[in-house]
Amino acid sequence: MKLSTTLLLVALVAALGVFVARYESRQPDTNQTLQAKAKPFAFKAQDADMLLISGKDMEVKIVRMEGVWRITHPFKDRANADLINKLMAAVNQLEWVETIRRKDIKNSDWKRAGLNDASLEIVVLNRGRELAKLKLGAAGAFENSLFISTQEPKGDQLIHLARTPLGAL
């Protein structure tokens, strides 16, 4: 083999090595990926500035103004900051146990999971940007579990069986 060919191959291998090292350094490791899948809502409670809670016939809008949580809709009053903090912590502590795509289950199972129109939806926002959006369903088969529905960025609806302290609220 000629010297020029050998040097060209060495340069290509070195460039490939640099590319792989840089690409891999930016990717999360396996533990971080698994943790992100199990605990999907990782935000700081102090980052949230608005909370929307809606159900079939009601909607509550809670806004943080000057460091104080206030209910702004359907009436105006000061909100219980302790309950808001517990709710934020509970959303952060959600842990997916099992995930199913909406298209993979029947409508009767959807209703049995409590994820019909009457279920409660919680949206946590920061300056209009969604930090978390979830729909709470019925209690799961084991202690401290709920069925929760979320939306994928592609638009697919997912149903999760989640371990959560939300039942205590």
Side-chain angles (χ1 to χ4, degrees):
M1 193 181 305
K2 290 184 179 180
L3 180 62
S4 60
T5 307
T6 305
L7 291 176
L8 179 66
L9 287 174
V10 167
L12 285 173
V13 169
L16 182 63
V18 168
F19 171 77
V20 168
R22 284 193 176 176
Y23 179 78
E24 286 295 321
S25 68
R26 293 185 184 134
Q27 300 300 316
D29 63 20
T30 304
N31 290 336
Q32 291 170 335
T33 303
L34 291 174
Q35 187 176 15
K37 283 184 180 179
K39 296 194 178 220
F41 303 118
F43 63 89
K44 295 177 183 166
Q46 62 266 24
D47 289 345
D49 62 4
M50 186 184 297
L51 185 62
L52 301 172
I53 302 171
S54 58
K56 186 175 182 175
D57 295 331
M58 65 97 187
E59 183 175 298
V60 177
K61 183 176 179 181
I62 304 169
V63 179
R64 187 191 323 234
M65 295 179 200
E66 299 167 3
V68 178
W69 286 102
R70 298 194 178 278
I71 300 170
T72 59
H73 179 78
F75 54 87
K76 295 182 188 254
D77 196 6
R78 189 175 182 147
N80 185 334
D82 191 38
L83 281 178
I84 300 292
N85 291 335
K86 283 182 183 178
L87 178 62
M88 297 289 186
V91 169
N92 266 324
Q93 293 171 11
L94 285 175
E95 184 178 342
W96 296 160
V97 176
E98 189 69 40
T99 300
I100 307 163
R101 294 200 178 283
R102 168 68 172 104
K103 63 183 178 183
D104 294 338
I105 67 168
K106 298 182 269 186
N107 281 339
S108 60
D109 293 334
W110 178 256
K111 288 180 182 175
R112 206 172 314 137
L115 295 168
N116 52 4
D117 294 335
S119 60
L120 197 65
E121 184 175 64
I122 298 173
V123 182
V124 181
L125 300 162
N126 176 333
R127 297 182 188 139
R129 185 179 58 91
E130 274 184 17
L131 298 176
K133 182 176 182 178
L134 54 139
K135 201 174 201 182
L136 303 178
F142 52 89
E143 189 176 2
N144 293 330
S145 68
L146 286 175
F147 286 101
I148 294 176
S149 173
T150 61
Q151 200 85 7
E152 275 191 323
K154 295 183 287 184
D156 291 343
Q157 199 162 16
L158 299 176
I159 300 151
H160 309 277
L161 180 60
R163 249 184 233 112
T164 175
L166 281 172
L169 293 175

